[in-house]
Amino acid sequence: MLILDATTKTFEIDMDEALTTSQLDVMVCYVDILTSDQSVSAFGNQDSATNSTTAVTILSAPAAGHTRTVKYMSVYNKDTVDHNVTIQLNNNATLRIIHKVLLLVGETLEYVA
Amino acid sequence: MSPRGFRVIDATGTLKITSLGAAATLPDPVTVAHAGTGLTSVAKGDILYTSADGVFSKLAIDTAATRILTSAGDSTYLVPKWEDPQTGLGLFPRQISRKSAWSTADLGAGTTTWDAIWALTHTGNTALVDTTADWIRYATPATTDTVRGTRVNVDWAWADHLPLAECLIRTGPDITALRFSFLISNTATLPTSADDQSALKGFGIRYSTVAGDTGFTPWAASGAVQTTGTVIASIAANTIYVLSMEATSTTSARFKVNDSAYQTLAIPAGALGTALRLQLSVATTTNSVKLVDMAALYGECN
């Protein structure tokens, strides 16, 4: 289970290479929980695209008093070359690599909670 | 249920195994390297074995009633094979090349206990131990036509009981001017030093330089007529041989030496219905010592 439990935490995507033709498509589906009573406060999804070798936020931080849980994530390589993709946690500017994989052309990296 | 966590789907929609920094396609069928077998199907009764490093193969079940699994699937003895214990391995489970011990047991239908150990009478024997085996050496004196050897000194079986006998022997340093005999016959003594054994009833294997045998030769006799077969295998001095003879029916006996093909001879009717014994002997046909070493003797019958 991937969780953002502070307003200073986000999930990001980065690549080792610049695009050739197209950036990679990203979508994250999440559930927000009210931390005080664990009740569901929101369902949502956030879509984005990579930005070559610049990290991109793929899931923003939760609001104060909330916990954001990733239910599903997908990264689709629609470029014409393979890419080394990194999924990382940005904790108040400190980066923690969660998963790194070579995504071939046409492949999809998925995360299922 | 879909696997949780990160995974990679390839361009065809097939799930891939992912690891940090690399993705590897899960092949179909899953190979041994991916903890699979590389096989696309198995049938009921199949046994999996490795036919080569990293390769699984199937050994189909042998649907006969009784089979045992051996390693004799090829000459390297690294491949399994189903064998008929009655034919594929000879006299399973005993080994003729090693000593066997038997306990006395009640083999009869009544209350009589039968000795399952040979009651042998040795003549001209000495013990000999070397790196190969524990031998009993039978050596003739240096007198023409003297016979030495061993014999079962009680009635053992009829030919009708389909007896089988094997021996592990080693020829002496000089195989000229001699007669060697391994017999299932009705003689209560060792056979005479003669090629004509027609007066006996039974069958056996001989090597006679006087008869001009070029190797081990089978024969059968009715008490009046002797029939001789062709050479089963050649013979050499100082050589170990396993001799085997068996009545496969009341009309036929077969013989082999080591791994030779069987040779078949007819059992004459006159040899049936008669108590037979087992004899192994060497006779000299000149005034010089001849010998044979025996390491093991085995017999079975109905």
Side-chain angles (χ1 to χ4, degrees):
Chain A
M1 187 182 295
L2 295 178
I3 295 174
L4 298 175
D5 59 359
T7 59
T8 56
K9 295 181 180 179
T10 62
F11 288 129
E12 297 179 345
I13 190 169
D14 202 354
M15 296 197 300
D16 290 356
E17 313 80 17
L19 84 161
T20 296
T21 303
S22 304
Q23 299 289 356
L24 279 54
D25 288 341
V26 182
M27 190 191 74
V28 180
C29 300
Y30 62 90
V31 173
D32 282 349
I33 306 294
L34 188 63
T35 308
S36 60
D37 62 8
Q38 302 299 305
S39 62
V40 174
S41 60
F43 293 95
N45 74 67
Q46 185 169 334
D47 62 283
S48 57
T50 57
N51 187 11
S52 296
T53 58
T54 300
V56 173
T57 297
I58 59 175
L59 184 62
S60 304
H66 290 79
T67 301
R68 178 161 288 178
T69 303
V70 176
K71 302 300 289 183
Y72 177 81
M73 176 194 304
S74 72
V75 178
Y76 174 66
N77 184 0
K78 69 178 185 181
D79 202 355
T80 54
V81 299
D82 303 338
H83 284 288
N84 284 289
V85 172
T86 301
I87 305 297
Q88 61 192 22
L89 170 71
N90 184 327
N91 182 5
N92 199 23
T94 298
L95 301 179
R96 307 292 185 191
I97 294 176
I98 298 170
H99 192 80
K100 188 177 180 72
V101 66
L102 175 64
L103 209 59
L104 306 184
V105 173
E107 290 188 341
T108 303
L109 172 66
E110 286 188 330
Y111 172 83
V112 178
Chain B
M1 184 176 76
S2 298
R4 297 183 176 182
F6 283 99
R7 62 189 184 187
V8 173
I9 310 298
D10 70 15
T12 67
T14 301
L15 175 66
K16 291 176 64 173
I17 295 173
T18 65
S19 60
L20 285 178
T25 300
L26 194 65
D28 180 20
V30 180
T31 64
V32 173
H34 290 90
T37 63
L39 300 173
T40 58
S41 68
V42 289
K44 183 178 181 180
D46 283 353
I47 289 179
L48 298 187
Y49 69 97
T50 52
S51 54
D53 290 349
V55 178
F56 273 107
S57 294
K58 299 178 287 186
L59 176 66
I61 190 73
D62 187 324
T63 58
T66 303
R67 288 292 181 267
I68 58 174
L69 196 62
T70 73
S71 59
D74 70 7
S75 59
T76 66
Y77 297 103
L78 294 175
V79 177
K81 178 183 178 184
W82 291 109
E83 296 264 20
D84 180 343
Q86 298 300 318
T87 60
L89 300 177
L91 301 177
F92 182 82
R94 60 107 196 117
Q95 291 176 301
I96 189 66
S97 59
R98 303 178 66 86
K99 297 290 185 287
S100 297
W102 302 82
S103 60
T104 55
D106 189 347
L107 302 177
T111 59
T112 303
T113 298
W114 293 42
D115 283 336
I117 300 175
W118 288 119
L120 297 174
T121 295
H122 302 290
T123 306
N125 60 294
T126 56
L128 172 65
V129 181
D130 59 28
T131 57
T132 303
D134 246 332
W135 303 94
I136 303 177
R137 169 162 289 182
Y138 303 101
T140 70
T143 305
T144 302
D145 289 334
T146 52
V147 183
R148 296 293 184 266
T150 189
R151 57 185 175 83
V152 174
N153 61 15
V154 294
D155 291 339
W156 170 42
W158 295 7
D160 314 58
H161 304 156
L162 309 184
L164 177 151
E166 292 194 5
C167 65
L168 177 72
I169 63 164
R170 181 174 59 193
T171 53
D174 177 7
I175 58 170
T176 64
L178 63 74
R179 293 186 174 93
F180 169 80
S181 293
F182 182 45
L183 311 178
I184 299 177
S185 79
N186 64 335
T187 179
T189 64
L190 294 176
T192 60
S193 177
D195 294 328
D196 182 2
Q197 298 290 343
S198 57
L200 296 182
K201 298 179 179 182
F203 52 91
I205 299 174
R206 79 171 189 205
Y207 169 66
S208 170
T209 59
V210 177
D213 295 337
T214 58
F216 293 104
T217 305
W219 63 262
S222 65
V225 177
Q226 180 182 15
T227 303
T228 305
T230 57
V231 172
I232 305 168
S234 60
I235 186 172
N238 295 314
T239 304
I240 295 173
Y241 297 97
V242 174
L243 309 183
S244 174
M245 52 187 177
E246 175 186 10
T248 55
S249 72
T250 55
T251 59
S252 180
R254 64 180 185 178
F255 310 81
K256 76 170 181 175
V257 176
N258 292 345
D259 294 327
S260 74
Y262 281 105
Q263 185 178 140
T264 300
L265 277 186
I267 295 179
L272 302 176
T274 300
L276 306 177
R277 302 183 180 190
L278 189 65
Q279 303 91 27
L280 187 153
S281 66
V282 61
T284 177
T285 62
T286 186
N287 290 326
S288 59
V289 172
K290 307 295 175 182
L291 62 87
V292 65
D293 297 331
M294 181 188 79
L297 188 64
Y298 177 80
E300 63 180 52
C301 60
N302 294 344

